[in-house]
């Protein structure tokens, strides 16, 4: 299993550096365009549209997000893990994420487990 890690310690994080790093990781792992695009989409939607807005809404300036994307041998599947303890420490729980429709989660799962192209 090979992994890519990124830590966000400030809401003014460098989005473009994060995405370039992830794209570079996917290229080094010889992932197909479909898996690469899925990983990029997941990061964009999860970080920019879920975790950062929730942190802003609660005044959490240091979200301390630790994000890991792991790729199995062969590159057919990728998995995502987000350590968001700082959210829990200030009383932000999973209810925040459950505001999003279940189709959102389903599309992220499909994006992360696509065939190589």
């Amino acid at each position: 299993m090979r992994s890519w890690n990124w830590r966000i310690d400030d809401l003014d994080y460098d989005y473009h550096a994060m995405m370039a790093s992830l794209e570079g990781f996917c290229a080094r792992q010889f992932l197909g365009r479909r898996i690469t695009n899925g990983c990029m989409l997941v990061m964009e939607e999860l970080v920019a549209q879920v975790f950062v807005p929730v942190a802003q809404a609660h005044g959490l300036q240091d979200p301390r997000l630790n994000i890991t994307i792991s790729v199995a041998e062969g590159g057919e599947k990728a998995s995502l893990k987000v350590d968001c303890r700082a959210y829990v420490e200030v009383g932000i729980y999973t209810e925040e994420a459950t505001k999003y429709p279940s189709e959102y989660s389903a599309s992220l799962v499909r994006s992360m487990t696509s065939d190589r192209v």
Side-chain angles (χ1 to χ4, degrees):
M1 183 85 57
R2 296 180 182 104
S3 298
W4 172 85
N5 300 85
W6 196 263
R7 182 175 169 104
I8 298 176
D9 290 320
D10 190 308
L11 292 181
D12 292 327
Y13 69 103
D14 190 340
Y15 171 81
H16 297 290
M18 177 182 72
M19 297 304 277
S21 174
L22 177 57
E23 189 168 31
F25 167 78
C26 291
R28 286 188 304 279
Q29 303 311 310
F30 301 105
L31 300 181
R33 194 75 237 161
R34 191 169 179 182
I35 290 281
T36 299
N37 289 344
C39 289
M40 304 286 284
L41 176 65
V42 165
M43 286 304 298
E44 176 184 346
E45 291 184 354
L46 192 62
V47 173
Q49 296 179 20
V50 176
F51 281 105
V52 169
V54 168
Q56 290 170 330
H58 290 273
L60 181 62
Q61 291 301 310
D62 178 8
R64 288 179 278 151
L65 286 173
N66 288 303
I67 303 160
T68 303
I69 292 180
S70 299
V71 180
E73 284 297 320
E76 294 88 16
K77 293 184 180 179
S79 63
L80 171 74
K81 178 181 175 186
V82 180
D83 178 348
C84 53
R85 279 180 243 175
Y87 286 70
V88 175
E89 290 171 5
V90 297
I92 304 170
Y93 298 100
T94 54
E95 295 87 45
E96 292 292 333
T98 60
K99 291 180 184 176
Y100 296 90
S102 59
E103 299 85 45
Y104 180 83
S105 297
S107 69
L108 294 181
V109 170
R110 280 194 301 276
S111 295
M112 295 294 287
T113 58
S114 303
D115 293 333
R116 291 178 76 173
V117 174

